[in-house]
Amino acid sequence: MKHTLFALAAVALAAAVSLADEPQLRYVKKATRQETMDASLEASGLPRVASPWFYVGPFDNSDGAGFAAAYPPEKEIDLGKSYAGRGGQPVRWHEAPQFSDGAVNNLNLYPENEFTCIYLRREIPAESAADVGVSLGSDDTLTVWLNGKKVLEREVTRAAEPDQDRLVLHLKPGKNQLLLKVCNLGGPSAFYFRTTLPPQLEAELRRRLDSDFPRAAAADPENKSYRIVTLPIPEDIVLEVGGLAFRPDGKLLACTRRGDIYAISNPDSEDPARIAYSTFATGLHEPLGLLADGNDVFVVQRPELSRLRDSDGDGLADDFTTICDRWGVSGDYHEFAFGPARDRDGNFFITLNVGFGGGHQSKAPWRGWCVRVAPDGELTPWASGLRSPNGVQISPDGDLFYCDNQGEWVAACKLSQIRRGEFHGHPAGLRWDPQRRDLRIPANQRYDALDPSIPLTLPAVWFPYGKLSQSASEPRWDTTGGKFGPFTGQCFVGDQTKANIMRVFLEKVNGQYQGACFPFRSGFRCGINRLVFGPDGSLYAGMTNRGWGSVGGYPYGLERLVFTGVVPLEIHSVELSRSGFDLTFTKPLDVATAERTAAYSVQSYTYHYWSTYGSPELDRQPVAIDHVTVSEDARRVSLAVTGLKKGHVYEIHLDGVRSETGEVVLHPEAYYTLNELRE
């Protein structure tokens, strides 16, 4: 008989562990977080595993390929054998009594330990078949085998921390062989392992620990003001999120790239047991966006905009209507369709990827365009020059924006306003424009050297590649009225590669949008594809890494970002003045640290406009700061600078600026895109 058990019997345990009763959380507070966790787990009926760890290595990971290399320990576990390790040196198994469960264990066991792979082995006895929950962490990649079967594979770059991965081990009666492989990519290497309580008890333990022992600010300073809550996902659901939307009844709809839509009840609950999933629709064609309006759910599939209804009230969509299918599909895998955004007149806006294969091409009508779909289904081509426009939304002011991804003709990821008839830079879709289809844009042509017959629309904000963004996704505006903190009205943008959220402040200068972007929150478990604010004021992030990979290592996920009520010291906004930049802060500053010219540095640069994939930063120059002025309320700093140029990004860094209470600026950098100068 197989039991569900989240406890392990120690090797030296004489009596069998009872499998009949589910453990209960018994919280025992000690002097430290680790001691409290250990004592609470033991008091809750979760014995620690007493079997020792053994390790062997190092094996080579100098080119990063060690993750995929099958070194001898993957083929056999023989503690008496030695093998050819890194550089051909013989390596053998060693016992590691210094490794302890529930702690991050350092794996720097050799004089040269960077770019290596190390194997860890443990024997786990079980008196009967059992399912055992474990929590793991690693620096960097992690692979796990149980009894020769691979049960976890994480190709990630990260510092080892507790609870980065969760896994259920299906133990057989008798001895079970557990094998871990950790490959690092430079710097320290480490791993983490512990057994876990059932999910609802783990969540309660985490809440109690976070309350009594807040995470150290040095380890995760962002967590103090914005904490990440991971929503549970049933094992039989692959939640590669393509779209998120809230229904009037408070349920969160999530569509997936595999063609399903799920309705999630109580998504804001702190108790995972209250969060429930039900299927709303299935069989769709890679939906990458949805919008809920009363009983209507509008979904953008690859070939069409559809309306779904549950006409009989049983929770399942039974009325599927095509609103518009008048854009083309060639079968190219890269022909994604995103949206819909809807304006005040009920018109829908959809952005369409160009294809791939032989260079990014528009093989089917209106690929590389934003199109407008009227309520009656009529399609109007709206704007061209889009490349990979993963995310389109309408701002609270009623303006249409989209995010595009770096590539050929796109220097870096960007946020742009879309207006009818504009061209945004990628020429592939021009073949469908009767007035421009014969135009060709030469490679290596710059913004200021374009044919005037095809004016280029500049982005409102560039997201500096690698520093902030590598695959920008969906923009969302904070309309929570302060529930989400001090940034009401600002825009938040997720990144699918870096698994982070950026913040954007926009202003209009001479009728042109421009503004600054800032780091906001990192540490999500997967690449962020969709964002939506919930009725509770928290920000939900839907994730997927399929096809491109992402920081965090998980294949998909759903997490909620919650404002804790602690306002961080941040640069709230950067505004262009006639003499330079005005920086407004979320809290009053210590004037002595804020009025120093040396506390600020500014650099400017621009980009190529060419057919090459992306662009380096060009004409990077330091910008002289003439003087600094602090406002009377100590919340605004004015930087007077010389030589401002249109078409440049201004990178601003702070050094040593503090609040009047001594708090440091959480993210001391900003990136301002300057399109127009103030007159």
Side-chain angles (χ1 to χ4, degrees), residues 523-561:
F524 294 89
R525 66 194 307 173
C526 188
I528 297 174
N529 194 41
R530 292 293 174 261
L531 297 172
V532 67
F533 280 99
D536 63 322
S538 59
L539 181 59
Y540 292 76
M543 297 172 278
T544 177
N545 76 355
R546 177 159 60 99
W548 294 271
S550 72
V551 172
Y554 281 79
Y556 50 83
L558 180 61
E559 293 188 300
R560 181 166 66 99
L561 190 61

Side-chain angles (χ1 to χ4, degrees), residues 354-369:
V354 293
F356 197 69
H360 286 77
Q361 303 295 325
S362 183
K363 303 173 184 178
W366 312 120
R367 291 290 170 176
W369 284 71

Side-chain angles (χ1 to χ4, degrees), residues 434-445:
Q435 297 180 355
R436 296 173 174 169
R437 63 177 54 170
D438 295 329
L439 294 175
R440 296 291 183 270
I441 302 176
N444 304 315
Q445 200 166 50

